[in-house]
């Protein structure tokens, strides 16, 4: 195992009706003027936005709002939020939504923390943040884990760049998690969320060094729990207990817990998918499912003990034959699970048809975004990335 620092300052308020505590939570963290940031019409149709505004009014907290966040959130919306917040003296950002909304809220908070600098400089890795306004979350989609993480991802549409920035100063002050708020999600979004949660865990699990038995056991239990409850939600989308399990797993998968003692994780699959999202605007969880099998088949021989353990302890594969055969059966079992929840396992199933030129362009962008070779299960260079993209077709 390696030394590690585990830092999770986010206060979690979990359960039915907890969105009514938003005003109280904001007050407790010093918020006096709030920007409510959200996505599409679902928060309006469900009445959630009205309930949120009512709890702020009850706490005598003035507020402005900005909706319109889309999947793969855009830098232009971040700039719009910074402008509105500056004009209205906002000192607290409240994200009402899922990962895209939370990421956009974090980026706005960074922009307000250093109002004389271009926030994109952070995502271009030209500097580190020195300040960030406080962010709170009312979670409506269990997927990205942004409600407790230090990360956010923003897309710059004019250049098709999708870039991440990680910094502990953006970790939300609180996360309100009411599993009931996810019951209106389309089945596809629920499945995409489960794929994202699993991938956040697998990125930390498939490492070539620095492992702890307790961390491995937590990660394996989390993955088994998500797989089991994703199948329940496929057949019974209104099952509250299954939604609660998945929502809590979302946070635990990306708050650092499943990476304690490791070498920091692999995260090559995420970086490969970011370029797919930047070019084709695919849903993140679906993109991860589409590329994962090709990545796994390309790297498993270099990380064979981990893939064997995954096959046996997570996917329930019986040990028969060689370690390589067991590892491949584990990969196949995960792909079978993706298909059971109607997730793609290739570019064709995802509905995209990258040309050879597109593949090479994505690989060039990916290696640039990574700042060089990427990975832990197997360190990938640009040619490796090209081959994985080719395999995914």
């Amino acid at each position: 195992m390696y030394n590690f620092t585990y830092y999770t300052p986010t206060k979690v308020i979990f359960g039915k009706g907890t969105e009514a505590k938003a005003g109280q939570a904001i007050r407790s963290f010093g918020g006096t003027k709030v920007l409510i940031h959200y996505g599409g019409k679902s928060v309006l149709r469900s009445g959630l936005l009205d309930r949120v505004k009512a709890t702020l009014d009850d706490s005598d907290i003035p507020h402005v709002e900005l909706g319109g966040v889309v999947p793969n959130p855009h830098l232009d919306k971040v700039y719009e939020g910074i402008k509105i917040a500056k004009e209205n003296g906002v000192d607290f950002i409240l994200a009402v939504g899922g990962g895209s909304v939370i990421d956009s809220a974090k980026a706005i908070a960074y922009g307000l923390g250093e109002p004389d600098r271009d926030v994109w400089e952070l995502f271009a890795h030209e500097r580190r943040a020195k300040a960030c306004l406080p962010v709170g979350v009312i979670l409506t989609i269990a997927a990205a884990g942004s409600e407790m993480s230090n990360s956010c991802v923003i897309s710059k549409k004019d250049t098709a760049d999708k870039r991440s920035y990680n910094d502990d100063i953006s970790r939300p002050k609180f996360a309100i998690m009411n599993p009931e708020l996810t019951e209106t999600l389309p089945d596809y979004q629920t499945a995409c969320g489960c794929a994202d949660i699993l991938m956040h865990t697998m990125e930390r699990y498939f490492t070539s060094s620095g492992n702890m038995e307790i961390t491995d056991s937590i990660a394996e239990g989390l993955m088994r729990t998500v797989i089991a409850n994703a199948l329940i939600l496929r057949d019974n989308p209104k099952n509250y207990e299954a939604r609660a399990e998945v929502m809590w797993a979302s946070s635990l998968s990306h708050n650092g817990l499943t990476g304690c003692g490791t070498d920091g994780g692999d995260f090559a699959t995420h970086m490969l998918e970011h370029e797919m999202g930047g070019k084709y605007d695919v849903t993140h969880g679906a993109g991860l499912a589409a590329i994962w099998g090709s990545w796994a088949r390309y790297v498993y021989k270099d990380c064979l003990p981990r893939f064997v353990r995954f096959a046996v302890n997570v996917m329930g594969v019986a040990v028969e034959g060689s370690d390589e055969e067991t590892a491949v059966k584990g990969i196949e079992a995960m792909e079978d699970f993706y298909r059971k929840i109607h997730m793609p396992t290739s570019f064709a199933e995802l509905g995209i048809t990258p040309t050879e030129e597109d593949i090479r362009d994505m690989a060039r962008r990916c290696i640039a975004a990574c700042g060089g070779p990427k990975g832990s299960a197997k360190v990938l260079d640009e040619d490796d990335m090209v081959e994985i993209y080719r395999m995914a077709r």
Side-chain angles (χ1 to χ4, degrees):
M1 61 166 286
Y2 291 161
N3 294 355
F4 64 89
T5 299
Y6 180 55
Y7 180 63
T8 53
T10 304
K11 180 178 182 178
V12 174
I13 306 169
F14 196 102
K16 296 179 180 181
T18 48
E19 63 271 22
K21 299 182 179 181
Q24 176 185 344
I26 291 168
R27 277 288 183 206
S28 72
F29 286 103
T32 64
K33 183 71 176 288
V34 174
L35 172 65
I36 305 172
H37 199 35
Y38 61 95
K41 297 178 180 178
S42 61
V43 296
L44 300 172
R45 288 195 303 268
S46 67
L48 175 59
L49 185 61
D50 286 338
R51 297 199 302 276
V52 170
K53 290 192 287 188
T55 187
L56 298 189
D57 290 340
D58 290 343
S59 297
D60 296 321
I61 300 174
H63 46 84
V64 293
E65 61 187 75
L66 174 63
V69 180
V70 297
N72 301 311
H74 297 174
L75 180 62
D76 288 346
K77 183 62 66 174
V78 171
Y79 287 150
E80 185 181 353
I82 293 170
K83 182 176 183 293
I84 291 172
K86 283 181 178 178
E87 292 172 348
N88 289 276
V90 164
D91 60 12
F92 197 100
I93 314 297
L94 178 63
V96 183
S100 295
V101 172
I102 301 167
D103 285 4
S104 186
K106 289 178 180 178
I108 292 170
Y110 281 129
L112 293 169
E114 298 179 82
D116 297 326
R117 302 295 298 269
D118 184 356
V119 70
W120 182 251
E121 294 171 353
L122 301 177
F123 297 90
H125 303 292
E126 296 172 2
R127 62 181 177 91
R128 297 293 300 178
K130 294 181 180 179
C132 182
L133 254 63
V135 176
V137 174
I138 298 177
L139 189 64
T140 64
I141 302 173
S146 294
E147 64 274 7
M148 288 186 75
S149 81
N150 69 347
S151 63
C152 58
V153 182
I154 297 294
S155 295
K156 193 171 187 283
K157 300 308 292 181
D158 58 341
T159 60
D161 287 326
K162 182 178 179 180
R163 297 289 178 262
S164 61
Y165 179 69
N166 301 338
D167 199 309
D168 282 338
I169 65 174
S170 74
R171 287 185 187 265
K173 299 299 183 184
F174 65 82
I176 290 173
M177 303 183 200
N178 176 1
E180 290 180 314
L181 299 181
T182 70
E183 290 182 2
T184 59
L185 288 174
D187 293 343
Y188 181 76
Q189 279 190 292
T190 297
C192 284
C194 291
D196 197 6
I197 296 165
L198 287 167
M199 197 67 244
H200 282 147
T201 311
M202 288 191 284
E203 295 283 27
R204 294 171 170 87
Y205 184 82
F206 288 110
T207 57
S208 58
S209 58
N211 302 118
M212 296 180 70
E213 182 62 35
I214 183 62
T215 299
D216 285 346
S217 297
I218 291 169
E220 290 163 358
L222 192 155
M223 288 187 279
R224 290 193 301 267
T225 296
V226 172
I227 289 169
N229 285 283
L231 294 172
I232 292 172
L233 291 175
R234 178 198 62 185
D235 300 329
N236 183 11
K238 299 295 185 182
N239 187 302
Y240 176 84
E241 299 300 330
R243 290 201 171 275
E245 296 279 3
V246 169
M247 179 170 270
W248 188 223
S250 169
S251 297
L252 297 183
S253 72
H254 206 35
N255 71 358
L257 179 64
T258 58
C260 290
T262 74
D263 63 6
D266 190 89
F267 287 94
T269 304
H270 259 78
M271 299 306 291
L272 290 164
E273 193 286 328
H274 282 178
E275 300 311 316
M276 296 156 55
K279 183 177 285 290
Y280 298 104
D281 203 28
V282 298
T283 302
H284 182 53
L288 291 170
I291 194 69
W292 182 80
S294 297
W295 168 85
R297 286 184 172 83
Y298 193 80
V299 309
Y300 79 91
K301 292 181 182 179
D302 294 78
C303 195
L304 192 57
R306 303 299 291 169
F307 276 90
V308 171
R309 177 169 179 147
F310 171 80
V312 175
N313 290 0
V314 178
M315 303 311 301
V317 172
V319 179
E320 298 174 352
S322 68
D323 282 353
E324 287 193 19
E325 290 171 328
T326 300
V328 170
K329 288 179 182 178
I331 296 168
E332 292 172 344
M334 176 55 80
E335 289 180 317
D336 286 343
F337 162 73
Y338 283 144
R339 295 186 188 100
K340 287 177 182 177
I341 62 170
H342 311 297
M343 284 287 96
T345 57
S346 67
F347 285 171
E349 293 176 11
L350 186 60
I352 62 176
T353 54
T355 64
E356 183 67 17
E357 182 180 353
D358 293 332
I359 283 173
R360 291 191 175 276
D361 179 57
M362 287 192 293
R364 282 194 298 271
R365 288 174 177 270
C366 189
I367 205 75
C370 294
K374 182 70 174 177
S376 174
K378 177 182 175 66
V379 179
L380 306 179
D381 60 22
E382 186 174 327
D383 289 340
D384 296 319
M385 294 175 180
V386 167
E387 188 57 33
I388 291 169
Y389 282 135
R390 285 174 179 162
M391 291 168 62
R393 289 190 292 193

